[in-house]
Amino acid sequence: MTQPDGAQEARRTADAADARCGIRTRPAALGEIDAVLARFEATWGAGRGLDDSTIRALAHAGGTVLVAVPDDDGGVDASGTPPFAAPGEVLGATLGFLGWSGGLHLHSHMNAVTRAARGRGIGAALKLRQRAVCLEHGVGEIRWTYDPLIRRNARMNLLRLGAEVADYLPEFYGVLGDAISGSDRSDRFEVRWRLDAPRVHRALAGAPAPEWRGDDGVALVPDYEALRIADASAAARLRADSVAAFTRMARAGLRPELDAAGDYVFTEDDPDREAA
């Protein structure tokens, strides 16, 4: 069977990411659904996500319910250091479902990695496997949301994967009250990952992003989640300032990108512009 354009390359890229992490990413088996649910609940709190039956239905329908498990070498990554994992342990899980608002795409709804295995690139590897699955089925775009004040997520989404911000969604989920957000505002950026776009190939190859042109933006703190715990007042001020800035950005028809310092710059540059 002939694979659609880009699918073979995407599968090789996902396989290479797995090898660097010492894992295998693949569709979840029905016997792993409980572990998928446990991974999500360990991240967001019990009852703060989908239930077992919904995840089973998504998996049965082919809704990219994917897991990351240690590889056959016991989870030894490219550095030779094994993760804290038992054979077959579900280290990470992700799921998505198809949508057609604004064009056919996969909405990647949840992506979680066990705390002991974070920082190894497993979250990105799961995204890359989603990319391969989508391209194999002729779906050329994945979208998801993230808190725009969390710098590490911005870096992964915009720089490492090459996604771009498509929309600013203030208070998108209301008050979540989960283990991550608590009572904070649920402001989100929606990103679109055009899976075969020039900026995606540039990012996945590790090539530098261009120096984005713009006179306005938002400076991020290194760890907003830690700030929210240590100094709630400072976090609230940053959130309020960001709401004003992102609202101004959206009204002006601009898009946020990350500069070399890891801060947002608001630009109207072509998102596929190459570095000078």
Side-chain angles (χ1 to χ4, degrees):
M1 178 178 177
T2 303
Q3 293 291 330
D5 291 347
Q8 293 183 7
E9 173 274 332
R11 189 167 56 250
R12 288 193 295 269
T13 299
D15 290 345
D18 283 2
R20 288 193 298 271
C21 299
I23 60 170
R24 286 183 295 120
T25 52
R26 55 166 174 74
L30 288 180
E32 294 172 320
I33 299 302
D34 288 345
V36 170
L37 178 60
R39 182 58 45 236
F40 292 152
E41 290 193 337
T43 300
W44 287 284
R48 297 297 179 178
L50 304 177
D51 61 18
D52 180 274
S53 62
T54 304
I55 297 173
R56 288 181 185 277
L58 283 169
H60 176 76
T64 63
V65 180
L66 308 178
V67 295
V69 297
D71 64 15
D72 294 336
D73 292 329
V76 178
D77 63 20
S79 69
T81 303
F84 303 97
E89 180 182 353
V90 173
L91 300 172
T94 190
L95 64 81
F97 47 83
L98 287 178
W100 47 79
S101 176
L104 182 67
H105 63 279
L106 182 86
H107 180 81
S108 182
H109 185 54
M110 305 182 86
N111 190 7
V113 176
T114 182
R115 185 177 299 277
R118 290 175 189 169
R120 298 173 182 272
I122 294 174
L126 284 163
K127 290 287 192 189
L128 290 170
R129 186 61 62 188
Q130 273 189 326
R131 174 176 180 258
V133 171
C134 282
L135 286 172
E136 286 169 4
H137 290 84
V139 178
E141 185 173 310
I142 299 177
R143 301 180 197 169
W144 64 91
T145 65
Y146 79 96
D147 185 334
L149 296 187
I150 300 179
R151 179 181 269 173
R152 72 174 186 281
N153 289 347
R155 285 185 179 277
M156 184 177 88
N157 295 334
L158 305 186
L159 298 181
R160 187 170 184 179
L161 298 178
E164 68 205 72
V165 174
D167 204 358
Y168 171 52
L169 306 171
E171 286 282 35
F172 184 57
Y173 298 108
V175 177
L176 287 167
D178 61 21
I180 295 177
S181 300
S183 60
D184 196 3
R185 288 174 58 99
S186 59
D187 302 325
R188 295 293 183 267
F189 280 162
E190 181 181 31
V191 298
R192 60 194 298 252
W193 198 19
R194 295 177 291 119
L195 302 180
D196 210 21
R199 69 179 281 139
V200 173
H201 289 287
R202 179 187 69 220
L204 297 183
E211 184 176 340
W212 302 104
R213 295 167 293 206
D215 299 323
D216 195 5
V218 169
L220 297 178
V221 295
D223 190 339
Y224 175 74
E225 291 168 301
L227 177 67
R228 190 162 52 193
I229 294 170
D231 191 341
S233 295
R237 288 193 297 272
L238 178 57
R239 178 69 74 184
D241 290 345
S242 77
V243 170
F246 296 146
T247 300
R248 184 172 65 246
M249 170 201 75
R251 288 174 177 170
L254 301 175
R255 184 186 73 256
E257 297 280 3
L258 287 180
D259 64 16
D263 297 322
Y264 289 120
V265 57
F266 302 157
T267 183
E268 58 182 359
D269 282 354
D270 180 348
D272 290 318
R273 184 167 74 84
E274 293 297 325

